[in-house]
Amino acid sequence: LVGSSVKIRDLLNSYAKTLYPWAEKVSERMVADVMRRDAVIWETQAREMGRSLRKEIESTPVGDMFRKSVKESTKLITSLPRNAAQRVGQLAVQALAKSGRANEIAKEILKTGHVTKSRAQLIARTQVSTTASLLVQIRAEHVGSEGYFWRTVGDSDVRPDHQALN
């Protein structure tokens, strides 16, 4: 009895090894099919969400908020070259007043690009965050909600005041 059970086990193990390549191909096709169907569903949902958001923007206070946000962002973005030009002008005046050397002034002027880049990144982060928060607020108010829960992302960049609000 023991010898025959070992033989049966060996035969079944051998059969499992024989089936492996076929089972692997079937599994790959099944997973690929699920992934294709999920992709279609996600794409369909994304299109529907896009249509709904456009309709919401066109017909609710959300649109007014977005238009105001665009104006504010535009104002901030266009301030970048103005501020850079003002900084360069101030550097030139200071250099003349202090009899600065041209190469020292040039170094400071080149730093203006770093200052502008840093400011642009700050504007981008702030405007995206502000607009996202305003969207939630305006939507909540539009449907009559008296409030909503504000949550942080919970990452290492969360500021202490935001953590307290969480």
Side-chain angles (χ1 to χ4, degrees), residues 63-137:
D64 294 333
M65 183 276 302
F66 268 115
R67 285 183 283 283
K68 287 177 186 173
S69 184
V70 166
K71 282 184 180 182
E72 180 63 23
S73 294
T74 302
K75 189 170 98 177
L76 288 169
I77 291 167
T78 57
S79 75
L80 292 170
R82 288 189 197 103
N83 291 348
Q86 184 179 9
R87 184 174 190 276
V88 170
Q90 288 171 344
L91 288 170
V93 169
Q94 288 172 0
L96 288 172
K98 296 178 181 179
S99 300
R101 298 175 59 143
N103 63 346
E104 293 169 359
I105 298 166
K107 286 179 187 176
E108 288 302 313
I109 289 173
L110 288 174
K111 289 180 185 176
T112 300
H114 298 296
V115 170
T116 301
K117 181 180 177 185
S118 174
R119 176 83 175 131
Q121 290 171 333
L122 176 66
I123 289 170
R125 281 193 306 267
T126 303
Q127 288 304 106
V128 167
S129 175
T130 299
T131 301
S133 294
L134 279 172
L135 175 62
V136 172
Q137 179 183 350

Side-chain angles (χ1 to χ4, degrees), residues 135-156:
L135 175 62
V136 172
Q137 179 183 350
I138 297 295
R139 285 174 134 177
E141 290 171 356
H142 179 67
V143 297
S145 176
E146 295 179 11
Y148 57 93
F149 290 100
W150 187 86
R151 299 281 185 235
T152 69
V153 174
D155 62 10
S156 62

Side-chain angles (χ1 to χ4, degrees), residues 36-56 139:
R36 273 191 301 279
R37 283 186 279 140
D38 280 357
V40 168
I41 290 169
W42 278 103
E43 289 170 8
T44 302
Q45 289 298 319
R47 279 193 299 275
E48 181 56 36
M49 288 170 62
R51 280 192 293 272
S52 295
L53 184 57
R54 278 190 296 281
K55 183 178 178 184
E56 186 176 353
R139 285 174 134 177

